[in-house]
Amino acid sequence: MRRDKTPEAALTVVQPVNPHKWVETYADYLYTYALVRINDEELAKDLVQETFLGALQRVDKFEGKSTERTWLTAILKNKIIDVYRKRSSGLANLPDEQNGLKEQHDFFNPADGHWTEAYEPQYFGIEDRDPVLNKELNGILKKCMQRLPALWLAVFTMKHMEDHSTDIICSELKVTPSNFWVIIHRAKVNLRECLQRNWL
Amino acid sequence: MNGIKKIQYDCKQATYLIEKKQIVRLTFYEKIRLWIHLAGCSVCRIFQRQSILITRMAKEFFQNPPSPRPGLDDTFKKELQDRIEERLKKD
């Protein structure tokens, strides 16, 4: 007797995808997920919509290996990477001066690499009181991040927050590995400086 | 400048290694280099502490984002579900 024909087997088959409940169940979650990464309410709404409509077209490919939520989030993630790529290419990527960014030679003496006096890091003064939880400091960091060039922000976000592999980041955003490290370094030096300037 | 002096002065290189260390394992040579530098440079020790703090804050922000205000409005949600239902009917 073939097992999959038994009534018991039929009962264990679950329907993992239920598009009738999608908006009610996942829209807010996906919207928050997108908004925090791309910081644009209208665009975040569009991405949520595209995610659902895109998912509908491949419902038959959903194998039930992950949860519905994980599956939808994966689709949204790819759409977010597309946004990063678009934002960080061509004209959208403003020159550094317009973002108030400093060059490496502002921070480090070109001759020996030593900190320049003007930009030496100083204590924030709250290092001993778990600063991760400091709301004001968090608020400043968010603003400082928005001032990074789009490509840097995309690299920083994909690496530090979403934990993508360096290979993926380089190929998706079309940066060379050596340029990747330069961006990671410059982004952090600038973020730290921005935090210090606005905190102290 | 001799080798050690150069390492001791080069904060640009040291901060680069501090960033690299948070993502991949440093080579043996890089580890020694950074160790020598940090032993004598209190400014880069501050940088290191704050750099790690920034990474932690950014991660935390993404993992537990505050709910956006305003969130999605009901009209948007209803229209979106209607569109989904329409497509489902077509199939």
Side-chain angles (χ1 to χ4, degrees), chain A residues 42-186:
Chain A
E42 286 309 309
L43 188 55
K45 278 186 189 174
D46 288 347
L47 292 190
V48 171
Q49 172 159 319
E50 283 172 27
T51 299
F52 286 137
L53 299 181
L56 271 185
Q57 290 175 337
R58 354 180 189 159
V59 160
D60 52 330
K61 294 203 183 76
F62 181 74
E63 294 168 327
K65 280 181 188 160
S66 57
T67 64
E68 204 177 22
R69 186 168 104 157
T70 309
W71 180 61
L72 289 167
T73 310
I75 296 172
L76 175 61
K77 262 188 194 173
N78 282 321
K79 299 196 179 297
I80 292 172
I81 292 179
D82 288 341
V83 172
Y84 289 155
R85 192 188 300 128
K86 271 182 213 143
R87 280 183 176 174
S88 57
S89 65
L91 293 172
N93 206 12
L94 291 173
D96 296 357
E97 311 86 64
Q98 296 188 28
N99 292 290
L101 289 171
K102 308 287 181 300
E103 296 292 334
Q104 291 294 67
H105 59 74
D106 292 319
F107 293 112
F108 304 105
N109 185 333
D112 57 12
H114 207 67
W115 285 105
T116 56
E117 211 174 307
Y119 289 104
E120 263 188 14
Q122 294 163 21
Y123 278 117
F124 296 157
I126 52 159
E127 276 81 357
D128 299 332
R129 292 165 259 158
D130 201 2
V132 173
L133 302 171
N134 187 301
K135 273 200 182 128
E136 204 185 335
L137 198 64
N138 267 288
I140 297 172
L141 178 61
K142 271 172 224 168
K143 284 198 187 112
C144 290
M145 282 174 62
Q146 294 312 320
R147 295 179 52 190
L148 292 178
L151 178 63
W152 295 15
L153 183 60
V155 169
F156 182 88
T157 308
M158 287 178 78
K159 185 75 241 174
H160 288 303
M161 299 163 168
E162 305 190 8
D163 215 14
H164 285 288
S165 78
T166 304
D167 291 345
I168 296 271
I169 298 172
C170 288
S171 64
E172 290 289 350
L173 300 178
K174 297 198 171 44
V175 294
T176 61
S178 70
N179 204 15
F180 168 84
W181 290 110
V182 169
I183 291 171
I184 284 283
H185 185 209
R186 289 193 64 187

Side-chain angles (χ1 to χ4, degrees), chain B residues 34-91:
Chain B
L34 182 57
W35 186 80
I36 291 172
H37 185 89
L38 288 178
C41 181
S42 62
V43 178
C44 282
R45 290 201 298 271
I46 297 177
F47 177 90
Q48 172 163 262
R49 200 163 166 183
Q50 294 174 342
S51 167
I52 293 168
L53 166 69
I54 289 169
T55 311
R56 275 180 58 205
M57 278 167 63
K59 268 206 180 91
E60 180 67 20
F61 170 52
F62 265 53
Q63 275 158 8
N64 305 306
S67 298
R69 264 172 217 152
L72 287 173
D73 58 272
D74 293 340
T75 325
F76 174 82
K77 284 188 186 173
K78 192 180 171 305
E79 280 170 11
L80 184 50
Q81 189 62 52
D82 288 349
R83 283 192 71 176
I84 292 173
E85 298 300 334
E86 239 169 70
R87 297 259 174 121
L88 284 171
K89 261 183 227 154
K90 271 189 211 156
D91 293 336

Side-chain angles (χ1 to χ4, degrees), chain A residues 14-41:
Chain A
V14 284
Q15 172 55 276
V17 193
N18 182 7
H20 301 292
K21 292 273 177 196
W22 274 358
V23 173
E24 185 191 329
T25 319
Y26 305 113
D28 287 311
Y29 170 78
L30 294 175
Y31 178 65
T32 308
Y33 189 96
L35 188 59
V36 84
R37 283 162 176 80
I38 58 175
N39 203 35
D40 179 328
E41 288 171 18

